[in-house]
Amino acid sequence: MTNRTYRLRHSAILALAVTIALACISRETPERIDLEVSRVFVTEPVTGERAAMYFSVTNNGDVDDELLAVSTAAAEVAEIHRTEHEGSTMKMVPVDALTVPAGGRVDLAPGGYHVMLLELTQNLFPDDRFDVTLRFRHAGEVVARARVIRYEDVEELVGGAALSDPHNSR
Amino acid sequence: MMPRPQEKVDFTLTDTEGEPFDFRARTEGYVTLVFFGYTYCPDVCPIHMANIGAVLDDFPLEVRSQIKVVFVTTDPERDTPERLRLWLDNFDTSFIGLHGSRDEVNEIQVALGLPASVIEETEGGEYLVGHSARVLAFTKDNLAHVAYPFGTRQADWAHDLPKLVDERWE
């Protein structure tokens, strides 16, 4: 290694360090990751083998986050789905990731997004509770408690959330 | 309200007892709610059925006995008459479940002014059924003056159904 290349590399590292320092100074606070998962419910599986799960994710942090996967001991498979509306027709479409904007909230609710629990490993009855793990790109794993409810109680729990646009900015 | 009332159409499909069900003859003189859906539907179908079922429970027999609910499966391969019965019984044992070939059912939907169902294969050999999210409400004049979208709440049904029974839907 000649002296010249060493110096070049050295100055490149220095420049990078300055850039990082500037990036940090330019923000008043470092990026904050703060996700809150609430209102987790699962509709009773009326024919036994599958169930839909809904929840709200509130992003109190400074960075957009993404829900990447959901898992639970109650089901072998959990897929994130979106209900697509075409005129008065609805259909389910699997999605890879669900963005939760910084300072915003996403409500999974009937007619919008849901997590389909497939190949249930146990019988689920109204008022049963079980843990689910939500994996986010930045926040990592968040464990929440789901409650099984009857379909007729869904509208009360969901209130005005979704049924159309799942993205409610606060 | 529908821009133009929808007339009943003539069709005969198989009920959950395996018997032919002549729609016009068997619904004559009743308020008849007609919905096309499938039992693997995650939320739209079961929530509609559960909400109607919950509201009917609270009606006096004289009102309840003037209302029929007809659920026609858009997924005849998976929704056997037995499965349909099991599923409907979760919401109300009086609900009528009808089964026919995909083509027959699509033809009926189109004749009723609803979009035909769409079947889409997904990766795991599973498939999704896109279908109309509306419940058609035929009154005793054999016309549907109102179609109820997804998101119709129990309070709406409780308010409207007795009026439909008394032919006061204006």
Side-chain angles (χ1 to χ4, degrees):
Chain A
M1 194 191 289
T2 65
N3 229 356
R4 186 173 144 75
T5 50
Y6 171 78
R7 221 179 288 126
L8 264 181
R9 194 175 290 170
H10 184 79
S11 57
I13 290 168
L14 190 70
L16 184 66
V18 169
T19 312
I20 292 169
L22 280 174
C24 292
I25 292 164
S26 69
R27 291 176 183 274
E28 285 177 12
T29 50
E31 284 184 343
R32 201 162 42 87
I33 293 170
D34 179 1
L35 280 191
E36 191 189 321
V37 177
S38 58
R39 197 202 57 149
V40 189
F41 68 92
V42 171
T43 46
E44 58 171 331
V46 288
T47 41
E49 66 284 86
R50 53 177 69 190
M53 180 165 70
Y54 308 87
F55 45 82
S56 293
V57 184
T58 308
N59 187 347
N60 298 312
D62 309 322
V63 269
D64 293 356
D65 211 333
E66 267 184 308
L67 175 65
L68 300 175
V70 176
S71 60
T72 169
E76 296 287 350
V77 182
E79 294 176 356
I80 308 168
H81 289 173
R82 185 180 70 239
T83 303
E84 233 169 49
H85 303 246
E86 285 169 11
S88 71
T89 299
M90 292 182 172
K91 67 175 183 189
M92 279 196 291
V93 183
V95 293
D96 292 332
L98 176 52
T99 302
V100 189
R105 190 183 84 206
V106 168
D107 294 318
L108 281 78
Y113 285 94
H114 61 269
V115 172
M116 203 74 216
L117 301 180
L118 303 164
E119 298 173 43
L120 296 177
T121 56
Q122 60 193 81
N123 290 322
L124 299 176
F125 299 104
D127 257 351
D128 282 357
R129 287 164 167 80
F130 58 91
D131 285 336
V132 292
T133 303
L134 284 65
R135 192 160 59 81
F136 294 93
R137 185 175 300 282
H138 300 298
E141 294 193 341
V142 176
V143 178
R145 196 94 171 128
R147 181 164 65 94
V148 181
I149 65 162
R150 298 173 62 82
Y151 275 106
E152 63 184 70
D153 296 327
V154 169
E155 65 168 39
E156 199 181 327
L157 231 150
V158 171
L163 298 185
S164 51
D165 183 8
H167 288 94
N168 300 322
S169 11
R170 289 190 300 172
Chain B
M1 292 292 285
M2 313 262 279
R4 193 164 46 84
Q6 172 64 49
E7 284 183 38
K8 271 186 189 169
V9 293
D10 291 294
F11 65 85
T12 300
L13 294 172
T14 308
D15 69 15
T16 50
E17 301 300 308
E19 299 295 325
F21 185 92
D22 178 337
F23 177 71
R24 188 184 289 274
R26 299 282 289 278
T27 60
E28 180 70 45
Y30 291 90
V31 165
T32 308
L33 305 179
V34 180
F35 186 69
F36 292 82
Y38 66 117
T39 69
Y40 283 92
C41 175
D43 45 35
V44 176
C45 315
I47 289 172
H48 259 322
M49 291 299 111
N51 283 346
I52 297 167
V55 165
L56 290 183
D57 282 347
D58 293 336
F59 285 162
L61 179 64
E62 80 172 279
V63 176
R64 204 172 358 118
S65 61
Q66 297 183 64
I67 300 169
K68 285 192 177 183
V69 176
V70 175
F71 181 90
V72 185
T73 179
T74 55
D75 186 6
E77 281 81 4
R78 290 187 296 186
D79 286 346
T80 59
E82 298 74 37
R83 187 184 163 87
L84 259 181
R85 187 71 267 146
L86 183 75
W87 188 80
L88 288 170
D89 281 351
N90 282 282
F91 310 116
D92 195 308
T93 52
S94 78
F95 286 1
I96 296 155
L98 298 183
H99 186 277
S101 75
R102 227 179 250 183
D103 289 345
E104 278 178 295
V105 171
N106 271 340
E107 208 175 294
I108 295 163
Q109 288 183 90
V110 171
L112 286 172
L114 300 171
S117 308
V118 189
I119 306 279
E120 281 182 29
E121 304 280 338
T122 63
E123 283 165 27
E126 287 251 336
Y127 58 92
L128 308 172
V129 186
H131 62 95
S132 171
R134 289 183 179 180
V135 177
L136 284 182
F138 288 100
T139 33
K140 294 169 184 171
D141 55 3
N142 294 320
L143 294 172
H145 300 268
V146 197
Y148 292 89
F150 181 60
T152 302
R153 302 174 72 86
Q154 287 166 36
D156 304 323
W157 290 117
H159 175 266
D160 281 21
L161 286 176
K163 292 193 171 197
L164 295 179
V165 165
D166 293 344
E167 311 199 47
R168 296 180 286 118
W169 55 81
E170 265 74 41

